[in-house]
Amino acid sequence: MPPLFKHTFRFILLILFQVFVLDNIRLHQLATPYLYFLFILWLPFNINRTVLLLTAFVLGFTLDSFRHHPGFHAAACVMIAYVRPFLINFLIPQEGAETNYEEPSIQSMGGLLPYMIYAGILVFIHNAWLFLLEAWQFENAWYFFSKTFLTTAVCLVLILITEWIFPRKQKFRTNTI
Amino acid sequence: MRNIFLFIRRYFNFLLFIFLQILCVYFIVSYSKFHEAAFGKTANQITGKINKRYSNIQYYFNLRKTNDSLVKANERLYNQLRLDKSLDDTLHMAQMDSLFTDSLVHASSFVFRGARVVSNSVSTPNNFIVLEGGSANGFHKGMGVISAEGGVVGIITETSADFSVVMSLLHKDSRISGKIFKTGETGTVTWDGEQPNVLYMNGIAKSVKVAKGDSIITSGFSTTFPKGLLIGRVEGAYAVPNTNFIKIKITTHTNFYNIQHAYTIENKNATAVNELLKQVQKQLQ
């Protein structure tokens, strides 16, 4: 599958899944299930940073269009897209791993733990920034923190399940040297 | 000059990041203006169409619930029909006579129109409901919306040709004038963003006595809702510290989790009243 087609397919599928499945699941008002940002988490290592920021903006804006109040998710997505390259540089196990593999996964990050740290930090930043923007009007710090932590936990469980159901086998690319 | 270009080139991603964040915050803050100008109509039309496809499928699974709520609504209406009552006719006529009503004009100034709910949310701090039916069906901005059970749902904030977006009572900017049915005190009903079936009413003096289960109805002070629609029932009252007011906790009459049908309310006098208000404001200025 050509990469552009693959990513467009993921984009549409994740947005539709978020809007029509996850948004209809009401666990608790403190824990909203989110999964659509998996698209940003799964973008290739070698993507141009400018393209990354703009793609994230489009993703957030699309979800916002379904929620009829633009800005919230777009801001959170742009935030994690900006942090992502720094985090990958910090977490990648050995020199050159990001050129050996195509995109972040459990395999390419060198185990489940680094991958979950990578996902966990990004999801936490996404939720914190999203709820902070929403909470400007509410001024309730305790509510904000419990909501952020609980939602992050739910999202991480969702990500684990997704990784388990759709394992992405990645080729080790030897032509990088 | 060269240094400026070098700077922009060096920090291009950071500047783009800051620019996008500012753009997002601008969207959030100036929501209504932006919506009217560019975004609203097209995005509303596109997402509305996608939502409608999905709702068509989902609709079948809720038919039983929809039927039940419609039967209940019918029951309520039959009870209100005057044909049902045998004794109050004469009294009623006497009352009507004392009012100078012109029989050539419709007595009711409110028109109700049914619409199907295409999409609905309760989990975010800013919830909107999308109705199937837009400006082509006579819906317009500012009309009130009630549920099949007769509870207040929200106010239409924008319409495209075939869809309209309703700002639900569960929205941080939603402000509705409510009234305690028993005592007649009025206050503002708002939502705190937490539980999707709990509203709060502010601006009630401490001296007012409210009991659990009292009805909170619309006051009829605005042109959006007629007087006497049920908003919810009192759950409890709390003193607001350092003020002379209490805050009343209300359980909503509308079940926001599963709204399938809604009715929009058109006030035929709205334009006339609003024009008068405008004139008065002009004179005061």
Side-chain angles (χ1 to χ4, degrees):
Chain A
M1 224 187 315
L4 185 68
F5 179 73
K6 182 174 80 181
H7 291 296
T8 319
F9 184 67
R10 266 184 202 165
F11 183 104
I12 296 169
L13 210 66
L14 280 167
I15 286 285
L16 289 181
F17 186 68
Q18 179 67 44
V19 172
F20 293 121
V21 180
L22 292 179
D23 282 1
N24 289 322
I25 298 173
R26 282 127 199 180
L27 285 177
H28 190 260
Q29 71 258 23
L30 284 177
T32 345
Y34 278 119
L35 193 66
Y36 76 102
F37 42 58
L38 208 59
F39 175 76
I40 302 175
L41 264 61
W42 281 2
L43 282 173
F45 281 120
N46 59 359
I47 191 171
N48 185 336
R49 283 184 63 192
T50 314
V51 177
L52 178 64
L53 281 173
L54 291 173
T55 326
F57 180 75
V58 172
L59 178 76
F61 198 80
T62 314
L63 186 65
D64 281 327
S65 311
F66 281 99
R67 299 276 180 96
H68 304 285
H69 197 147
F72 290 112
H73 295 88
C77 282
V78 168
M79 185 60 116
I80 57 171
Y82 186 72
V83 177
R84 200 188 96 125
F86 299 110
L87 201 66
I88 286 175
N89 272 341
F90 183 72
L91 283 172
I92 211 79
Q94 77 272 17
E95 199 98 355
E98 70 263 42
T99 47
N100 287 336
Y101 288 104
E102 199 195 333
E103 56 192 41
S105 70
I106 297 173
Q107 193 187 1
S108 65
M109 301 289 284
L112 184 66
L113 187 70
Y115 181 72
M116 286 320 278
I117 295 174
Y118 163 74
I121 294 177
L122 287 186
V123 172
F124 182 81
I125 293 172
H126 171 275
N127 292 340
W129 187 233
L130 175 67
F131 297 146
L132 191 73
L133 285 175
E134 289 180 344
W136 261 349
Q137 289 93 3
F138 292 125
E139 301 166 358
N140 189 343
W142 173 240
Y143 181 78
F144 163 71
F145 280 117
S146 47
K147 192 172 174 180
T148 310
F149 278 107
L150 278 172
T151 305
T152 307
V154 171
C155 294
L156 284 182
V157 171
L158 278 177
I159 289 176
L160 264 181
I161 295 172
T162 318
E163 291 285 350
W164 181 56
I165 298 177
F166 303 102
R168 292 168 295 148
K169 290 247 170 63
Q170 295 204 27
K171 269 186 229 152
F172 185 81
R173 295 189 298 186
T174 47
N175 57 349
T176 47
I177 312 156
Chain B
M1 199 61 192
R2 191 168 162 268
N3 281 336
I4 295 173
F5 281 123
L6 275 178
F7 175 80
I8 291 176
R9 212 186 199 179
R10 172 107 174 67
Y11 294 104
F12 179 72
N13 285 315
F14 181 68
L15 292 174
L16 180 69
F17 167 67
I18 295 292
F19 169 74
L20 288 177
Q21 287 290 344
I22 292 173
L23 192 70
C24 291
V25 173
Y26 172 74
F27 286 165
I28 294 171
V29 176
S30 64
Y31 154 70
S32 50
K33 243 188 275 168
F34 175 64
H35 250 219
E36 274 166 25
F39 177 73
K41 294 236 161 84
T42 37
N44 180 359
Q45 194 74 6
I46 294 165
T47 57
K49 271 188 185 141
I50 301 173
N51 275 323
K52 194 180 155 190
R53 288 243 167 113
Y54 176 76
S55 141
N56 277 341
I57 301 166
Q58 203 197 24
Y59 194 55
Y60 287 102
F61 296 104
N62 288 317
L63 274 179
R64 180 190 286 259
K65 262 185 205 162
T66 311
N67 263 341
D68 283 351
S69 72
L70 291 178
V71 166
K72 267 188 194 147
N74 262 342
E75 185 184 293
R76 201 166 43 86
L77 292 174
Y78 276 131
N79 283 333
Q80 279 177 6
L81 268 183
R82 249 198 292 159
L83 288 173
D84 262 8
K85 298 169 188 167
S86 48
L87 279 174
D88 73 342
D89 258 19
T90 48
L91 276 172
H92 205 85
M93 289 306 286
Q95 230 175 17
M96 287 299 282
D97 279 346
S98 65
L99 286 169
F100 294 100
T101 44
D102 186 349
S103 58
L104 289 174
V105 183
H106 284 292
S108 168
S109 59
F110 292 99
V111 181
F112 291 78
R113 286 195 194 90
R116 222 178 89 192
V117 172
V118 170
S119 98
N120 175 25
S121 76
V122 292
S123 49
T124 62
N126 305 298
N127 294 303
F128 290 93
I129 293 164
V130 181
L131 299 181
E132 191 188 348
S135 44
N137 305 54
F139 297 176
H140 53 78
K141 210 177 144 184
M143 279 164 85
V145 177
I146 60 167
S147 65
E149 304 109 65
V152 176
V153 169
I155 295 170
I156 295 182
T157 50
E158 56 178 287
T159 52
S160 60
D162 303 319
F163 297 97
S164 34
V165 176
V166 180
M167 182 197 270
S168 143
L169 281 189
L170 311 179
H171 188 288
K172 62 171 178 32
D173 294 332
S174 156
R175 302 237 175 317
I176 283 194
S177 167
K179 182 175 175 181
I180 305 172
F181 181 60
K182 213 163 68 178
T183 55
E185 305 284 332
T186 55
T188 319
V189 177
T190 54
W191 189 51
D192 69 341
E194 292 182 8
Q195 287 177 44
N197 59 349
V198 172
L199 301 170
Y200 288 93
M201 186 174 183
N202 300 302
I204 302 291
K206 261 183 185 168
S207 56
V208 177
K209 287 201 170 54
V210 283
K212 197 180 166 184
D214 281 359
S215 311
I216 306 290
I217 56 170
T218 49
S219 66
F221 286 173
S222 68
T223 49
T224 322
F225 290 107
K227 189 179 156 186
L229 291 171
L230 198 55
I231 297 174
R233 298 199 187 278
V234 174
E235 187 68 33
Y238 311 93
V240 183
N242 306 326
T243 60
N244 207 14
F245 294 107
I246 52 170
K247 191 177 180 184
I248 299 177
K249 194 177 171 185
I250 306 169
T251 344
T252 56
H253 181 59
T254 307
N255 183 357
F256 282 94
Y257 286 105
N258 54 4
I259 306 176
Q260 292 290 322
H261 282 272
Y263 296 90
T264 59
I265 305 171
E266 185 182 0
N267 185 348
K268 284 188 173 166
N269 297 333
T271 40
V273 173
N274 290 338
E275 261 172 32
L276 259 181
L277 277 173
K278 252 185 211 165
Q279 275 181 16
V280 172
Q281 268 168 359
K282 259 184 201 166
Q283 279 170 7
L284 284 175
Q285 279 165 4

